[in-house]
Amino acid sequence: MTMWVFGYGSLLWNPGFEVAEMRVATLEGYARSFCMSSIHHRGTVERPGLVLALDEGPGACRGMAMRVAPGQEEPTLSYLRERELISSAYLEKTLHVSFQVGGTAQALVYVIDPHHVQYCGGLPLEEQAQIIAHAVGDRGANTEYLYNTADHLHEIGLHDPDLDWLAERVRALTA
């Protein structure tokens, strides 16, 4: 059985599993947003950072659909659950994605639970920048997460104006 995973943040530049194929894809009804407080990977309980999540609502998110290497479906699912469900702030869903070129697929997607304590949707961009500029977690600086994601989106020809603004503002704050 073919398994697709939709990446929109760190999975783009650090999937952590064997990818057989990558295609630019769109997920309707969700937006990429720094709407999850990070108390593990990019912040701490005392000084939370912010990580991207898919927030349900109007619009769409362009990202990358990654086809898991044949025979690696079960190990990949186990790995992703350990990585993404660390605090239960994400919900694991299988959703319909449309490829930029050639068709559609069902993909494994991690979206934010808007009822979880780590949900912080709607923060103004300046507040997001202030948080990201200073937070550090067990996987490193929150700035690294932002820069890697924004840079990788550009590398694959996808542009996110909010991420571009945040990257520029955070660079200015940390200069």
Side-chain angles (χ1 to χ4, degrees):
M1 181 176 133
T2 302
M3 179 180 173
W4 291 90
V5 177
F6 183 73
Y8 55 88
S10 63
L11 285 174
L12 294 172
W13 47 270
N14 182 25
F17 59 90
E18 190 178 345
V19 177
E21 177 184 4
M22 296 179 81
R23 293 188 189 184
V24 173
T26 302
L27 174 66
E28 295 289 338
Y30 290 87
R32 176 185 9 254
S33 170
F34 275 102
C35 63
M36 181 175 157
S37 179
S38 179
I39 58 173
H40 299 288
H41 299 318
R42 299 297 174 167
T44 63
V45 172
E46 298 78 22
R47 189 174 199 138
L50 291 174
V51 291
L52 292 166
L54 290 170
D55 204 359
E56 191 169 8
C61 178
R62 293 184 68 210
M64 193 65 73
M66 296 169 278
R67 185 169 55 83
V68 176
Q72 294 301 305
E73 295 85 358
E74 285 303 316
T76 297
L77 184 58
S78 294
Y79 164 76
L80 288 171
R81 286 178 172 164
E82 184 176 318
R83 172 181 168 163
E84 302 297 330
L85 302 178
I86 187 170
S87 67
S88 304
Y90 285 125
L91 301 173
E92 182 181 275
K93 294 189 175 191
T94 301
L95 299 171
H96 183 84
V97 297
S98 301
F99 299 129
Q100 180 174 313
V101 178
T104 64
Q106 292 294 109
L108 185 66
V109 181
Y110 292 93
V111 304
I112 190 73
D113 177 352
H115 305 291
H116 195 277
V117 66
Q118 286 176 256
Y119 177 72
C120 58
L123 292 176
L125 287 176
E126 178 62 30
E127 188 175 344
Q128 293 176 40
Q130 293 290 335
I131 293 168
I132 292 167
H134 302 102
V136 178
D138 63 12
R139 289 210 179 151
N142 210 165
T143 55
E144 175 191 41
Y145 177 91
L146 167 64
Y147 300 152
N148 281 341
T149 304
D151 291 348
H152 199 80
L153 283 169
H154 280 276
E155 286 173 19
I156 60 177
L158 300 178
H159 301 282
D160 185 315
D162 286 351
L163 256 65
D164 293 342
W165 186 92
L166 281 167
E168 184 177 322
R169 179 66 179 131
V170 169
R171 282 188 173 99
L173 288 170
T174 58

